[in-house]
Amino acid sequence: MKNMILAGALILAAMVPALAQQPVTTKTVNALSLIGEPKYKPGFDHFDFVNPDAPKGGSARLSVAPGSFDSLNPYIVAGTPPRGVGLVFESLTQDSLGEPSTAYGLIAETITVPSDSSWVEYALNPKAKWHDGKPITPEDVIFSFNTLMDKGTPFWAQYYHNVKKAEKSGPRKVKFTFDQAGNRELPMIMGQLPVLPKHYWQGRRFDAPTQDPPLGSGPYRIAEVKPGRSISYERVKNYWGKDLPVNRGFYNFDRISYEYFQDETVELEALKTYKFDFINENTAKTWATQYQPGSFPALRAGLVKKEELRHKNPTGMQAFAFNIRRDVFRDVRVREALNLAFDFEWTNKNMFYGQYTRTQSFFSNSDLASSGLPSPAELALLNPLKGKIPPAVFTQAYKAPASDGTGGNRANLRRAAMLLQQAGYEIKGRILVNKRTGKPLAFEILNAQPAFERIMLPFVETLKKLGIEAHIRTVDPAQYEQRMKDFDFDMTVETFPQSNSPGNEQREFWSSGAAARAGSRNVIGIRNPAVDALIDKVIYAPDRAGLLTATRALDRVLLNNHYVIPMWHTRVFRIAYWDKFGRPANPPEYHHGFPLIWWLDAAKDAALKTKMK
């Protein structure tokens, strides 16, 4: 903790002179962006990736598999919320689907921010109201902030860690003051604060799971709930924000529903028989084998369409994640050895039909990813950390272990065996044991998706060649989620999503402060002062160039500590849908758009019904 405070103090000390050299100015705007000027100026009519005249009506049916839910409050640790519940709520601003790291006013009509980013003030739209007709007030915003910080998931406390004060600054204004200047991201992400109705939650317990449909202000309200099985949302006909420029062309369906299925196999059969309308297929084998033209009658007849849509989203990191709170994974040499044992090339060829790319960065598919050796600017951040970070950060470009794809992986396994020997292990009767304690190197892989077992099993068999006993433990989604919140696992498959402008959320993923807090996203358990210092460099980067430098430096340190075994990613959305929808001619580059900006095409719907008779 002492090192964390010292690092923060040094960063602030370095920044204050630079900030003091320039007079602080303020600006009032309709949007904020971290990568340049927002595309749309005040008074714009609609985003160019929507159809502003899209017809309203009909329904959109989606699926979830596997999964369940037992609470309608998505902002707390207890309980599992349903898919789509965000349609009920709104925030101060709305992110653009067509511009990375850019947000436009929603509940907030205007945004005022100083040049040193030391505070932000939002002026609320006078038309904004809750579904019960009461106006949204600054008191609601302040209540939301305080409640989420005190009783929400740990994410909020980390995300808004540097907010010193939230106060009413005018009849329709709320101001957030920060404990330090220079955090360019913080004024924008304050706009992501979900706004909750103070009058509704008075007398109700916020931090307890609930089946009561909560009051919101968004375009939909909850219409029907079958706990754990399905949920439906109905469009609010008198929704206060329906004519806002940021909402024109959005929210075209009268009803949006999510059906939950036991597993992906049952889910696919339900799609084939028209139990739901749209799927974003995440399983490569299923996409390669079950969506061929002759795979099922509706696809063969053209009633179901399939497409691959390229996107520009950072793909983040999906990986086998180590829980380094466990003694067995505290030695980096053990973690590196297990990295060497995973054969991506064989897996991709034999299980994924070559559809995936190996992930080489926590910020893959973006200019934030590290590559090659550190640049001079990166070295300026990394050199002071020498002795606290792996030497390989300075001497070699990170590259995930690769094999020839034949399944032998012999060279990597030899290197893995040497690392395990250096870490104090030896083979006794074909079992790898710790020389000092005599304990075998054994662990459990916690899993919530039965379909993933086929990927894990070859890895488990390979580990046996090293004398390592790994066991797969597949549990139901509710048990999995609770065990993850409690950090009750050895290894699991985890996804660490990233945006084009990383910032405060990095604390939730990697910081020492998050490691001990139940329910945080630091599932790995990283407590590393060097990582903490680099997170602050990311958060307080003065400009885009500084952000790229700091993020790449952080990326290198995370990768070379081998906290995870990187898996794979794809740069396309693989979608299939029943052919009854319309969609914009100029779709956004960062989202497939369903169901937000698609609509029911009456002619296609009628034709589909005729063909299915």
Side-chain angles (χ1 to χ4, degrees), residues 74-243:
Y75 303 117
I76 59 174
V77 172
T80 302
R83 195 72 58 86
V85 72
L87 294 166
V88 176
F89 303 99
E90 292 181 303
S91 51
L92 291 164
T93 61
Q94 176 171 302
D95 291 345
S96 170
L97 300 183
E99 302 165 85
S101 307
T102 304
Y104 292 81
L106 181 58
I107 290 177
E109 190 172 39
T110 61
I111 310 157
T112 300
V113 62
S115 55
D116 67 353
S117 301
S118 58
W119 53 267
V120 65
E121 183 180 66
Y122 294 92
L124 307 189
N125 192 313
K127 298 178 181 178
K129 63 180 181 179
W130 303 106
H131 292 160
D132 63 4
K134 294 185 177 182
I136 299 176
T137 66
E139 287 80 4
D140 289 318
V141 178
I142 295 167
F143 165 81
S144 303
F145 172 76
N146 291 332
T147 299
L148 291 171
M149 292 291 281
D150 293 341
K151 300 179 180 179
T153 62
F155 168 81
W156 300 108
Q158 281 293 319
Y159 207 42
Y160 296 139
H161 173 76
N162 292 108
V163 180
K164 181 171 64 175
K165 182 169 57 175
E167 61 184 327
K168 184 176 180 178
S169 53
R172 292 188 293 106
K173 293 182 178 181
V174 61
K175 181 179 180 180
F176 297 96
T177 303
F178 311 137
D179 61 4
Q180 296 181 29
N183 186 336
R184 295 172 57 246
E185 183 192 46
L186 198 48
M188 193 178 87
I189 65 173
M190 287 311 309
Q192 299 169 1
L193 177 75
V195 181
L196 307 169
K198 180 179 180 179
H199 68 279
Y200 173 83
W201 285 105
Q202 287 180 332
R204 289 180 168 90
R205 184 178 169 188
F206 183 80
D207 56 358
T210 179
Q211 290 294 331
D212 295 332
L215 179 67
S217 64
Y220 290 85
R221 59 165 58 93
I222 295 173
E224 183 180 8
V225 178
K226 296 178 182 177
R229 294 168 52 199
S230 66
I231 186 165
S232 295
Y233 306 91
E234 63 181 4
R235 188 163 58 87
V236 178
K237 296 297 195 299
N238 62 342
Y239 167 48
W240 76 269
K242 62 185 176 63
D243 295 322

Side-chain angles (χ1 to χ4, degrees), residues 2-20 162 179-184 380-381 384-385 507 529-542 546 550:
K2 182 178 179 181
N3 289 334
M4 292 172 61
I5 295 172
L6 178 60
L10 291 172
I11 291 167
L12 181 59
M15 290 176 56
V16 168
L19 292 170
N162 292 108
D179 61 4
Q180 296 181 29
N183 186 336
R184 295 172 57 246
L381 302 181
L385 302 175
R507 287 183 178 137
V531 171
D532 292 334
L534 290 172
I535 290 171
D536 280 345
K537 295 293 187 182
V538 170
I539 291 172
Y540 290 99

